[in-house]
Amino acid sequence: MNSRQILFNSFLQESYSPEERSQQGWMAIAGFILLTVACYFAGATAALRLIYPVTALLVAIFLYLRHPILYISFTWWIWFLTPLATRLVDYRVGWDATRQMLIAPYLVVFVTIATFLRHFPRASRQGGLPFVLAFIGVFYGFLIGLIYNPPIPVARGLLDWLSPIIFAFHLFINWRDYPSYRQNIQRTFLWCVLILGAYGVYQFVVAPEWDRYWLIQSKLFMSSGNPVPFGMRVWSTLHSVGPFGSVMQAGLLLLFTSSGNLIFPASVVGYLSFLLTQARTNWGGWLLGIIMIVGSVKTRIQMRLIIIIVVMAICVVPLTTIQPIAGVVAARLETFSNLEEDNSFKDRSGSYDKNLGLALSNGLGNGLGNIWKVNEKTGQIEVVVIDSGILDMFFTLGWFGAIFYMGGLLLLIISVSSYGEGRFDSFISAARAIGISSSTQLIIGSGMLSVAGMILWGFLAMAMAGHKYYQHQKNYEL
């Protein structure tokens, strides 16, 4: 160990008790919240577009160094709430086409690049080969992007692609703290389902002015509905329907591993808002996840899960019969029986027919930043939506980068599929189900990016961390 590492470790291990470090962490988070609220109501709202991401980064660095457990929950909440904060700022001071506040979650996650670089030389020996392979694929795309694309879109693409990988690696490499990380993530997603679910129902019924303003300015009427009460597809505090569907899919599956008085109120608003997203892909992912969890745990846990499912159904189903909720959900469910006439299905099928050959023939790839273009009329940078993670990989990374990236992801899925710890640890079973069900959705969406990518890679990493933790415990006992 060199002198820099010794100094770094001594800094982390100062004579503060865990309680004192926790108190300092909460004070930092409270300070961040108070500063944000004060700026918003004290006439410095426009300045929040810079202050918010900078202070979020500073708090993240502090928590990463002093209270790693709080850093994990802070990171998730920044992902959950930053889009709403951005909409509130836009509503008060005007539309910002650059969406610069949305950089905050990526900055907070990128703190974990320190973990990746510190452990990279021996990552393969520690079981982190899947993350190394994915990193190589993304880095290749970054280099190609620097050749073919403008630097700012390339940097933006790097944040999108790399953030889930390095955060997941951070979760995995800290496997010794798996019980604490597990408890933290369970608690975080329990409150996430409760708060985001309640706001989602409120959004559908009331259609708040800031959400209507965002929908009008973004012009996403086809994917997000009409800016009127009972007319929106719910996206809650997230920035669109798809990311919210991914978050709720993961949170609702995790509820089966949690306990406490908040489970059922969280389930009611969570499932109701999840249905109101009208996100069929995530509905299917949730169902696949349920099947995987129930099929991988012991009989005793299976019975408990089935009872929970029945009780939740008794609580939620009557609410879905109330108009206009019933009409919205029923109309969306009916599309499953006639997919050939569904516009969304036809658009995705047409995209595959048109682009699959082009993507597979793209050997070098277009590099990171290739999905960003400049609108000739407005001069603004806009994103080109590719409704397929598979197509996106080959267009962006080419064959060379996609082989490494997909190789790492497939190796990760194959590894977690063989674990037996899920039979007695329902969190590992749920984490594996969340990760695998999310990966199946790559066929019809770029679910390896942004918050959806954080969920896909992060929960697969937690399953790996749990496996390594129990293997170490077994070897220690022997």
Side-chain angles (χ1 to χ4, degrees):
M1 182 179 294
N2 59 39
S3 58
R4 289 184 179 181
Q5 288 175 314
I6 292 173
L7 288 173
F8 179 79
N9 290 338
S10 64
F11 175 76
L12 293 180
Q13 298 172 3
E14 286 185 8
S15 57
Y16 290 104
S17 67
E19 292 77 13
E20 289 174 323
R21 290 200 301 272
S22 177
Q23 186 179 27
Q24 291 172 353
W26 281 113
M27 288 175 63
I29 294 172
F32 168 74
I33 295 172
L34 290 174
L35 177 62
T36 302
V37 172
C39 288
Y40 186 81
F41 288 105
T45 310
L48 274 176
R49 288 173 175 159
L50 177 62
I51 293 173
Y52 182 89
V54 170
T55 53
L57 174 61
L58 294 175
V59 172
I61 293 172
F62 177 79
L63 295 176
Y64 175 84
L65 295 174
R66 291 303 191 93
H67 202 290
I69 303 298
L70 271 183
Y71 166 76
I72 301 300
S73 56
F74 179 73
T75 299
W76 285 117
W77 280 109
I78 289 292
W79 277 103
F80 299 155
L81 298 180
T82 295
L84 175 61
T86 303
R87 295 199 294 273
L88 289 169
V89 170
D90 285 349
Y91 176 69
R92 174 160 287 201
V93 298
W95 179 252
D96 176 22
T98 65
R99 319 304 292 148
Q100 66 185 67
M101 275 184 69
L102 295 179
I103 200 70
Y106 297 99
L107 295 178
V108 169
V109 171
F110 235 73
V111 173
T112 58
I113 194 68
T115 302
F116 189 85
L117 295 177
R118 191 163 68 250
H119 293 275
F120 183 79
R122 56 186 184 278
S124 298
R125 297 195 303 272
Q126 295 177 324
L129 180 60
F131 307 101
V132 174
L133 292 176
F135 178 86
I136 292 172
V138 172
F139 188 69
Y140 167 81
F142 172 69
L143 296 178
I144 296 296
L146 289 177
I147 297 172
Y148 291 119
N149 304 312
I152 293 179
V154 171
R156 180 65 175 79
L158 182 65
L159 292 174
D160 246 342
W161 282 83
L162 196 57
S163 295
I165 298 171
I166 60 175
F167 183 74
F169 181 81
H170 176 78
L171 295 176
F172 163 71
I173 211 68
N174 288 288
W175 58 267
R176 289 178 177 83
D177 296 318
Y178 165 74
S180 299
Y181 278 55
R182 175 185 60 191
Q183 182 183 30
N184 176 269
I185 291 174
Q186 285 176 318
R187 183 169 57 246
T188 298
F189 274 83
L190 170 60
W191 281 101
C192 162
V193 171
L194 179 62
I195 295 173
L196 271 62
Y199 184 84
V201 176
Y202 170 77
Q203 182 183 65
F204 179 74
V205 174
V206 176
E209 295 180 1
W210 45 87
D211 290 333
R212 298 205 305 267
Y213 179 78
W214 174 86
L215 186 52
I216 293 169
Q217 293 296 325
S218 64
K219 299 179 174 63
L220 295 176
F221 304 114
M222 290 294 292
S223 61
S224 299
N226 298 316
V228 294
F230 306 107
M232 293 180 177
R233 291 179 62 185
V234 167
W235 66 89
S236 189
T237 63
L238 276 294
H239 62 271
S240 62
V241 171
F244 177 62
S246 297
V247 169
M248 293 306 288
Q249 175 186 326
L252 291 171
L253 290 174
L254 270 189
L255 286 187
F256 293 112
T257 72
S258 304
S259 59
N261 297 329
L262 294 176
I263 295 295
F264 289 108
S267 298
V268 170
V269 294
Y271 279 106
L272 199 54
S273 64
F274 188 52
L275 289 171
L276 292 172
T277 63
Q278 304 175 50
R280 295 171 303 183
T281 302
N282 298 111
W283 293 353
W286 174 85
L287 182 60
L288 176 60
I290 287 291
I291 294 171
M292 292 181 65
I293 294 173
V294 173
S296 64
V297 296
K298 291 181 178 180
T299 304
R300 178 177 57 82
I301 302 178
Q302 284 179 339
M303 294 303 298
R304 183 173 68 86
L305 292 178
I306 292 172
I307 293 172
I308 293 174
I309 292 171
V310 171
V311 173
M312 287 181 178
I314 293 172
C315 294
V316 175
V317 171
L319 295 176
T320 62
T321 62
I322 302 172
Q323 291 294 349
I325 296 174
V328 170
V329 175
R332 197 61 172 170
L333 289 173
E334 287 174 1
T335 62
F336 282 107
S337 62
N338 194 19
L339 287 176
E340 293 80 3
E341 300 300 321
D342 182 70
N343 290 330
S344 177
F345 179 80
K346 288 192 292 186
D347 289 343
R348 286 191 168 97
S349 298
S351 177
Y352 262 98
D353 293 340
K354 177 182 177 181
N355 296 316
L356 183 59
L358 290 173
L360 295 180
S361 63
N362 194 349
L364 293 177
N366 299 324
L368 301 184
N370 75 99
I371 64 169
W372 301 84
K373 69 176 183 179
V374 178
N375 188 311
E376 295 180 357
K377 294 182 179 180
T378 65
Q380 298 293 340
I381 296 177
E382 297 178 350
V383 65
V384 179
V385 178
I386 301 176
D387 281 330
S388 167
I390 306 300
L391 293 179
D392 199 352
M393 286 181 201
F394 282 98
F395 271 127
T396 301
L397 307 178
W399 271 98
F400 183 83
I403 286 174
F404 278 94
Y405 188 90
M406 293 184 68
L409 184 57
L410 288 173
L411 182 59
L412 194 54
I413 292 171
I414 292 170
S415 297
V416 302
S417 298
S418 65
Y419 298 159
E421 289 83 2
R423 292 192 59 80
F424 59 85
D425 186 334
S426 59
F427 179 86
I428 291 181
S429 179
R432 175 172 56 196
I434 291 168
I436 294 178
S437 63
S438 296
S439 66
T440 62
Q441 297 168 35
L442 293 178
I443 299 173
I444 51 179
S446 296
M448 66 287 186
L449 308 178
S450 187
V451 69
M454 293 281 292
I455 288 169
L456 190 161
W457 282 92
F459 280 98
L460 289 175
M462 281 302 296
M464 286 186 69
H467 169 73
K468 192 163 186 177
Y469 173 81
Y470 286 116
Q471 288 297 108
H472 182 265
Q473 292 292 103
K474 186 185 300 183
N475 294 336
Y476 180 78
E477 291 172 359
L478 293 176

